[in-house]
Amino acid sequence: MNATMTPNRVTIQEAAPVKKTAIDDVVLDCKVRKIHYGDFLAVRDSNVPIARKQITGFIGPSGCGKSTVLRSLNRMNDLIDVFRFDGQVTYHGKDIYARDVDPVVVRRYIGMVFQQPNPFSMSIFDNVAFGLKLNRFKGDTHEKVEKALRGAALWDEVKGKLKNSGLSLSGGQQQRLCIARAIATEPEVLLMDEPCSALDPIATRQVEELMLELKENFAVALVTHNMQQATRVADKTAFFGVDMSAGGRTGYLVEMGDTDQIFNHPREQLTRQYVAGEFS
Amino acid sequence: MIPVASMVDDDAAMAAAVRAIPRLERQTFESRALKSGLLTTLTWAAALLAAVPLFSVLYMLVVEGGARIDLEALTALPPAGFEQGGGFGNAIVGTLLMVGIASAIAVPLGIVAAIYLSILGAHTRVARVSRFLAKVLTGLPSILAGVFAYAAVVLWMGSYSAIAGGVALGMLMLPTVVLTAEEAMKEVPQRMKDAAFGMGCTRSQVIWSVVLPTGLPGILTGVMLAVAGAAGESAPLLFTALFSNYYVSEMVEPTASLSILIYNFSAMPFDNQISLAWAASLVLVFMVLIINILARLIGQPKV
């Protein structure tokens, strides 16, 4: 059992050939002090810098706040009334939680792909063109849509049926359509919240391959429940733990580093136990 | 004989006896099966009985009204006392006009209200109260809508009119539109709204670009059903639009409608008028039927 849970070193080296990058080009510097839902302290003390041309994986047991942190990065959590963020998320020198920042605009630069594929009930073309229309894009929409669909490795499968409903596609295709929709407006950062958890193994593999291509152009932050997925695609891995001492389940960052280091030479005992599959 | 072998044989015989092959064939006259058959027949008969009024009405309409339907009946003006021929063209126009006015009032107002109820203030006290009131309004006797429109519009404008009729019908349509549109918009999955917010939509953009288009089939179905209901109403028109023997030429004058024409003509002692009432009934039922079919077609999910 333990043998299968131990990450495959060969895969890691394939997925992350560039070891010890000189300086990470951090585009989104997230410093969480405290995240509350009402009186409940959900996450504390977690600094997670997201760098360009890298995939940053968030792993940890359920309830550790990894999704909460991810959704704080483009202020999606603002839609929850009782959510309160204490900390800083610096993007191009500006704290996106500053008083004068419009969360709606933030979300146009920091795109998101959700756990459940969620295409709109409109044609494949309109799904991808949605963000372009939103940004009042004046150029060649067709070209942009094709580029985004190619970027999401979906073009060959849908080029003959762009007028069909996005909901007519299979689950894996729908998720790639959502990725195409998210990258059509060329955001700098792509947040992916367990994008493969609703997909079958083949679709998962396709989306993972796609992520590796995407990181050439975007900074990707990936929440995943699947440690193998983290070892396959993530350059950096942030491991979150749960702290029960304060009465509730409070998530916090245990350690973050190169994926290779987190899985093979963890600094913390807790990380070692988690990646060895001793708890989940 | 080896004792052990006979023991085994006995055991096998015992097992066979205990596990006798069950009778799987249907036992028609067993009490359970009889009861089931009886109840099935009963429900079947009840369903048939419920359909009898509709089909007998339709049958009579087609037989009595169908004979009288021709271009003259559909376009000419209503005949006077002993006059032969004539038709109810003005009543068709009047009904369409008043339903149109009613829709122009109830549809925009209803959809905007539904947006508030389903998205903007779903859990506010205002929403709870108005949702409850809308439900009460669906049960409002239609003649009271007529009384309201009489007091609010006829007395104020000083004349029976298509507008007053439209207001009365609109009042009856409003709760249906509000409640079905609210339901249709609530059924838009949260993850689609999340996706739109995640792309950087403002709240109004989420409503306009995602919630309304996605909920549109359901909203239109509700609108169509409300229109079909309003087209057949007569009570609210009795003292709002009254009736007229001529084509409507302006908004502020008594206006003919199919339902009032049927009501008037069916009580007359002349065969010509009575047969016209049958024909008008057939036309009205046909209109409502078409609207209902349209509602079903629109309401079908497109995938």
Side-chain angles (χ1 to χ4, degrees):
Chain A
M1 188 61 197
N2 254 344
T4 56
M5 295 299 279
T6 310
N8 181 338
R9 283 159 204 254
V10 179
T11 318
I12 296 168
Q13 274 158 6
E14 274 175 2
V18 191
K19 279 188 176 178
K20 301 280 174 211
T21 319
I23 302 164
D24 292 331
D25 184 6
V26 173
V27 60
L28 199 60
D29 194 11
C30 170
K31 294 193 170 83
V32 177
R33 265 192 299 277
K34 285 185 170 67
I35 296 177
H36 280 94
Y37 290 113
D39 293 330
F40 169 60
L41 178 62
V43 182
R44 65 169 171 80
D45 309 314
S46 304
N47 294 353
V48 194
I50 311 291
R52 276 200 186 84
K53 295 194 184 261
Q54 284 188 358
I55 297 177
T56 307
F58 291 31
I59 61 168
S62 23
C64 70
K66 53 192 191 297
S67 282
T68 299
V69 171
L70 188 83
R71 293 166 78 94
S72 302
L73 296 182
N74 72 342
R75 298 195 62 173
M76 271 306 277
N77 279 330
D78 285 31
L79 300 172
I80 300 164
D81 287 335
V82 294
F83 169 81
R84 230 168 57 241
F85 183 91
D86 176 18
Q88 279 180 329
V89 179
T90 315
Y91 176 64
H92 289 283
K94 178 90 190 170
D95 179 10
I96 64 168
Y97 279 90
R99 208 171 271 265
D100 58 341
V101 167
D102 182 355
V104 167
V105 180
V106 169
R107 295 183 201 127
R108 294 189 187 177
Y109 291 95
I110 304 173
M112 184 139 198
V113 176
F114 295 79
Q115 191 168 354
Q116 291 279 335
N118 53 2
F120 299 128
S121 165
M122 46 178 90
S123 73
I124 293 169
F125 183 91
D126 287 343
N127 260 290
V128 182
F130 187 87
L132 300 173
K133 276 186 207 149
L134 202 63
N135 289 320
R136 301 210 172 75
F137 176 69
K138 287 286 186 294
D140 186 349
T141 309
H142 269 272
E143 188 192 310
K144 283 272 184 191
V145 168
E146 182 178 336
K147 189 179 163 204
L149 283 169
R150 281 189 192 282
L154 190 61
W155 175 251
D156 289 330
E157 289 159 68
V158 300
K159 62 186 172 192
K161 47 176 184 177
L162 292 175
K163 290 226 157 44
N164 290 17
S165 167
L167 296 171
S168 67
L169 299 173
S170 74
Q173 289 174 324
Q174 287 192 10
Q175 193 61 300
R176 278 179 285 149
L177 177 63
C178 293
I179 292 172
R181 182 178 64 188
I183 63 177
T185 52
E186 292 169 15
E188 275 196 278
V189 185
L190 207 53
L191 309 177
M192 303 179 110
D193 189 359
E194 299 193 36
C196 300
S197 67
L199 305 184
D200 63 69
I202 294 169
T204 298
R205 175 151 209 103
Q206 288 171 326
V207 171
E208 282 179 8
E209 282 167 9
L210 175 56
M211 283 185 226
L212 292 174
E213 287 171 29
L214 288 175
K215 76 171 185 186
E216 297 305 318
N217 296 310
F218 305 95
V220 178
L222 167 74
V223 167
T224 176
H225 228 91
N226 180 335
M227 279 188 279
Q228 278 74 30
Q229 182 167 66
T231 61
R232 283 193 296 262
V233 300
D235 301 281
K236 291 277 192 313
T237 297
F239 170 61
F240 289 80
V242 184
D243 177 6
M244 312 281 256
S245 62
R249 295 173 62 88
T250 300
Y252 67 104
L253 182 71
V254 178
E255 68 172 299
M256 178 173 177
D258 288 337
T259 300
D260 182 46
Q261 177 253 311
I262 292 288
F263 280 91
N264 296 313
H265 315 287
R267 281 187 297 268
E268 301 286 332
Q269 177 71 3
L270 200 61
T271 315
R272 195 195 60 72
Q273 288 175 338
Y274 184 74
V275 297
E278 287 174 25
F279 71 98
S280 61
Chain B
M1 286 283 269
I2 305 160
V4 175
S6 81
M7 278 279 283
V8 171
D9 277 359
D10 281 356
D11 279 359
M14 272 294 269
V18 171
R19 284 199 221 122
I21 294 170
R23 294 171 64 193
L24 297 174
E25 298 83 7
R26 181 168 289 130
Q27 303 297 313
T28 319
F29 296 104
E30 196 204 10
S31 78
R32 214 169 28 162
L34 273 180
K35 229 183 273 172
S36 159
L38 188 72
L39 286 174
T40 311
T41 317
L42 262 177
T43 54
W44 189 80
L48 199 71
L49 210 63
V52 164
L54 175 67
F55 281 101
S56 61
V57 166
L58 280 182
Y59 173 77
M60 285 303 283
L61 284 180
V62 172
V63 169
E64 298 273 352
R68 189 62 204 275
I69 295 237
D70 52 24
L71 192 63
E72 189 191 6
L74 292 178
T75 55
L77 290 172
F82 289 95
E83 207 179 326
Q84 285 305 302
F88 43 80
N90 62 336
I92 296 178
V93 173
T95 290
L96 292 179
L97 174 69
M98 285 187 281
V99 170
I101 293 173
S103 307
I105 297 169
V107 173
L109 194 62
I111 291 178
V112 172
I115 289 174
Y116 182 80
L117 293 187
S118 63
I119 302 165
L120 298 183
H123 306 294
T124 58
R125 182 185 297 259
V126 178
R128 275 201 301 275
V129 170
S130 46
R131 198 177 292 126
F132 174 71
L133 291 181
K135 280 175 188 158
V136 171
L137 204 56
T138 45
L140 181 82
S142 57
I143 195 151
L144 291 184
V147 172
F148 167 80
Y150 178 79
V153 185
V154 176
L155 292 182
W156 172 60
M157 292 177 96
S159 162
Y160 296 103
S161 66
I163 294 177
V167 168
L169 293 183
M171 214 181 132
L172 291 171
M173 284 175 65
L174 189 61
T176 315
V177 174
V178 170
L179 294 173
T180 52
E182 185 202 355
E183 208 46 49
M185 285 190 267
K186 266 194 185 152
E187 276 172 22
V188 175
Q190 182 61 38
R191 56 197 164 101
M192 280 194 199
K193 294 178 213 164
D194 281 348
F197 280 117
M199 307 272 314
C201 284
T202 60
R203 215 150 58 147
S204 60
Q205 282 168 327
V206 173
I207 292 166
W208 276 111
S209 333
V210 175
V211 177
L212 277 179
T214 311
L216 196 63
I219 295 172
L220 284 181
T221 305
V223 167
M224 288 295 184
L225 291 177
V227 165
E233 283 291 349
S234 55
L237 300 177
L238 278 173
F239 30 77
T240 51
L242 211 64
F243 192 73
S244 153
N245 281 321
Y246 304 99
Y247 274 101
V248 61
S249 58
E250 53 181 310
M251 290 289 176
V252 192
E253 63 176 12
T255 307
S257 60
L258 281 171
S259 48
I260 301 293
L261 178 127
I262 296 164
Y263 173 77
N264 288 344
F265 277 16
S266 59
M268 282 189 178
F270 311 112
D271 285 346
N272 183 33
Q273 268 80 349
I274 287 176
S275 70
L276 272 180
W278 279 111
S281 308
L282 183 62
V283 169
L284 187 56
V285 166
F286 199 63
M287 273 168 56
V288 172
L289 187 72
I290 286 178
I291 297 170
N292 272 310
I293 291 172
L294 277 181
R296 297 203 65 156
L297 288 181
I298 295 168
Q300 270 166 4
K302 287 171 286 185
V303 170

